[in-house]
Amino acid sequence: MAHLVLEGERARLNLSLLEKLGAIRKSPQIALNQIESVEVVANPWTNQVLKGFRIGTGVPYLVLLGTMQYRNGRDFCAIYKRRPNAVITMKSGPFKRWIFEIKDMSEIDALKRAIA
């Protein structure tokens, strides 16, 4: 399961080896000053959260690992089942959003304090 790791002025979504294989990419990272907002969604499997087509591994309502590509950008996703997920919106960078399952709410709280 992906972990959010804060390293100085950067945030990294730490992926396991199997997640990297499923997502077809390495762990994404970004500078904290490029994060626009952080929110928590109860169910990520909605049209309001997910958009575009998948590049990576996916079984609907079970797992989504990889990139969701759409007309004006792309999102990185590490979603499992119907659990609460964090949605981190970026000002710039390779992804517009990171959408991932929350393993520990303290990781999200620490990120909110770091960007405030």
Side-chain angles (χ1 to χ4, degrees):
M1 184 178 306
H3 289 278
L4 183 66
V5 179
L6 300 178
E7 300 170 328
E9 293 297 314
R10 299 194 68 75
R12 180 171 40 93
L13 196 55
N14 197 21
L15 303 175
S16 70
L17 178 60
L18 288 175
E19 287 174 322
K20 290 177 186 176
L21 291 172
I24 313 172
R25 69 172 297 111
K26 60 184 183 177
S27 298
Q29 58 181 330
I30 193 156
L32 291 177
N33 63 2
Q34 295 302 312
I35 296 175
E36 185 175 305
S37 67
V38 178
E39 64 179 297
V40 175
V41 294
N43 180 12
W45 300 98
T46 64
N47 290 338
Q48 290 79 24
V49 178
L50 295 178
K51 52 187 167 182
F53 64 92
R54 180 191 77 249
I55 302 169
T57 302
V59 177
Y61 305 105
L62 186 62
V63 65
L64 175 58
L65 292 170
T67 303
M68 293 296 290
Q69 185 79 39
Y70 49 95
R71 174 172 279 194
N72 296 322
R74 58 189 182 154
D75 299 336
F76 180 80
C77 300
I79 301 170
Y80 300 93
K81 300 184 181 175
R82 294 183 189 212
R83 299 180 183 140
N85 279 250
V87 178
I88 300 176
T89 305
M90 314 298 177
K91 296 176 186 172
S92 65
F95 296 105
K96 287 203 172 204
R97 299 182 303 168
W98 290 353
I99 306 167
F100 60 96
E101 182 181 348
I102 300 169
K103 179 168 178 123
D104 185 1
M105 194 60 172
S106 65
E107 295 173 353
I108 304 304
D109 293 336
L111 177 63
K112 287 180 179 180
R113 284 191 303 273
I115 64 172

